[in-house]
Amino acid sequence: MALINKSDIEKLLNVQNNTKGALCISIYIPTHRAGHETLNGQNQTLFKNKLKEARALLSRHDVPEQEINAYMQPAEELLNDTGFWRHQAEGLAVFLTKGFSAHYTLPTTMPDVVYVLDQFYFTPILPILSQNGRFFILSLYRERIGFYEATIERIRQIDISAFAPESMNEALKFTIKGKDQDFHNSTTTVNGSNIVHGAGATKGDEEHDEVIEFIHEIDNSLQEILHNATEPLVLAGVDHYCALYRKFSKYKHIVPQHINLNETMAGMNPQTIHEKALEVVKPLMQQSHTDSLSRYENVAGTGVTSEDIATVAAEAVHGRVDTLFITPSNPVWGRYDAKSAVAEVHKDYQRGDDDLINLAAIKTLAQGGKVFVSSYNGLAEASEDGSSVKALFRY
């Protein structure tokens, strides 16, 4: 199941930049994980309607019917993939252009929209890519290994069974079964005999080394999902396993505090995991946003900030935006002129336009800047003056 991240955005940008003259189709729909909506094919029906809308928009761009069919073929195949529609989350994003298609199942509700532009339209997924958007959870227990993608509002489990075992017991074939909490005790009683597990004991050393090897394998496997991600990772498990994972993992964004859950059906419920993880990660997100906003306010009006979207978009293209705050709004259509190095705002959409908010955010992310989606899930203040962007420049 594909998780969208900044590397995917870079790939999509590269595709659109190398398909000159081709249109870019961006389709977003809200979806359902389960229930009668899924059983009744509601997700598929909505997607089918979006495909009709995309065809109509392509036709308005004077695209011949044969070319329209070529554009839409991958989406039509997705529409007819029954298995695909059984495994949805809260939202779906599909990107199409000539000779290319990509789709992403998303952990937050998407709007019901289609855009046919000269560029892909990323604005609906900015909350996921923002600093206050998404985080990950890895649960490390003997009986169950789980990986989750989460936002402030939602959590969904990611299937990692293709490259990771479902439990440590399965992977390590422990001859002595017990609770995780017993792993680092000095002795464990089995059939009336005390077996030493402490430091220096052969059995303890053996299992300790096996766990470390297992930790390395899990970490290497998760790189297939995380790649160059920068979202926080919350560990769920007993102190021993979490300490080892934090010590040996190559991922640089593990949250310092882990959570310890009761390894029961109720304790391992995704909603329980989500609630406990939020207690750890939400204050960090709020603090990051508050600190960044304070930096902005301390220098506002001194020439290193702007709330003018045309100025912000142009500076983002130049790589000058350090931190960008976005308030959800309708598209602000306009265009960046490379010759004059300025951006202009248009009252109505014109062929070749981009949403300047979309442009500013993507350019900021691509060049290592921070993006916060203001008024998102209670993590930010609404803009009092109604402006859609606030930008702090690098210099």
Side-chain angles (χ1 to χ4, degrees), residues 297-309:
E297 292 173 343
N298 288 338
V299 296
T302 64
V304 295
T305 66
S306 179
E307 297 181 13
D308 177 70
I309 183 57

Side-chain angles (χ1 to χ4, degrees), residues 217-250:
E217 291 178 358
I218 289 291
D219 188 56
N220 289 334
S221 297
L222 285 187
Q223 297 308 311
E224 297 185 27
I225 292 179
L226 295 174
H227 299 296
N228 297 318
T230 58
E231 289 88 345
L233 172 63
V234 180
L235 300 179
V238 295
D239 296 347
H240 183 70
Y241 294 161
C242 292
L244 288 175
Y245 193 89
R246 183 176 285 105
K247 178 179 179 180
F248 294 109
S249 175
K250 294 185 288 295

Side-chain angles (χ1 to χ4, degrees), residues 240-267:
H240 183 70
Y241 294 161
C242 292
L244 288 175
Y245 193 89
R246 183 176 285 105
K247 178 179 179 180
F248 294 109
S249 175
K250 294 185 288 295
Y251 194 65
K252 304 302 181 183
H253 306 282
I254 300 176
V255 173
Q257 182 182 350
H258 68 271
I259 58 177
N260 194 337
L261 301 171
N262 182 12
E263 195 174 358
T264 63
M265 289 301 292

Side-chain angles (χ1 to χ4, degrees), residues 177-245:
K177 299 293 181 67
K179 296 180 179 179
D180 288 325
Q181 286 80 356
D182 295 332
F183 179 80
H184 55 282
N185 287 349
S186 58
T187 61
T188 298
T189 301
V190 179
N191 295 329
S193 299
N194 289 333
I195 300 179
V196 179
H197 286 269
T202 303
K203 187 62 183 177
D205 289 345
E206 179 182 339
E207 288 197 1
H208 181 75
D209 291 342
E210 288 178 341
V211 170
I212 291 177
E213 182 179 352
F214 176 78
I215 290 295
H216 280 297
E217 291 178 358
I218 289 291
D219 188 56
N220 289 334
S221 297
L222 285 187
Q223 297 308 311
E224 297 185 27
I225 292 179
L226 295 174
H227 299 296
N228 297 318
T230 58
E231 289 88 345
L233 172 63
V234 180
L235 300 179
V238 295
D239 296 347
H240 183 70
Y241 294 161
C242 292
L244 288 175
Y245 193 89

Side-chain angles (χ1 to χ4, degrees), residues 13 15 79 84 105 136 139 202 245 250 299 314 385-386 394:
L13 290 172
V15 168
L79 174 65
F84 171 78
T105 302
F136 300 113
S139 64
T202 303
Y245 193 89
K250 294 185 288 295
V299 296
D385 56 8
R394 296 183 193 276

Side-chain angles (χ1 to χ4, degrees), residues 131-149:
Q131 293 292 120
N132 54 339
R134 176 173 57 182
F135 62 97
F136 300 113
I137 307 166
L138 174 63
S139 64
L140 296 167
Y141 290 92
R142 277 204 184 184
E143 299 298 333
R144 186 180 305 178
I145 302 299
F147 184 69
Y148 304 83
E149 177 186 29

